[in-house]
Amino acid sequence: GKDAISDEHLHIIEQSLVQYIGPIAKVLIRRQAANASSIESLCIVLAQHIESEEKQKQFLKEIEPVL
């Protein structure tokens, strides 16, 4: 449900994602979190906003602890 993803987790994801895509990360996360079914699916969607595939992998590795 809606409370499946904690604010703490969102914050960790944001701290990581902002390094790759800048301040838009915050907006993107809030928007996507609203209709994400799980933290995994949220992170996969977010990763797609990172242009470099290498950096996508890096991002997903970084946030692995919260998954």
Side-chain angles (χ1 to χ4, degrees):
K2 208 163 100 71
D3 55 359
I5 306 167
S6 72
D7 285 338
E8 195 183 336
H9 285 163
L10 290 177
H11 185 70
I12 293 165
I13 295 165
E14 186 188 315
Q15 296 294 90
S16 177
L17 191 61
V18 79
Q19 299 170 72
Y20 298 98
I21 65 169
I24 191 78
K26 192 180 197 119
V27 180
L28 207 57
I29 289 167
R30 297 287 158 200
R31 194 182 299 150
Q32 298 293 343
N35 42 37
S37 54
S38 69
I39 195 157
E40 289 90 347
S41 61
L42 171 64
C43 294
I44 288 161
V45 169
L46 293 173
Q48 287 166 357
H49 290 268
I50 304 169
E51 277 186 42
S52 148
E53 206 173 307
E54 203 175 312
K55 287 182 176 170
Q56 285 187 14
K57 291 197 182 100
Q58 234 172 303
F59 164 70
L60 290 169
K61 204 184 181 79
E62 254 174 51
I63 57 166
E64 223 170 356
V66 304
L67 295 181

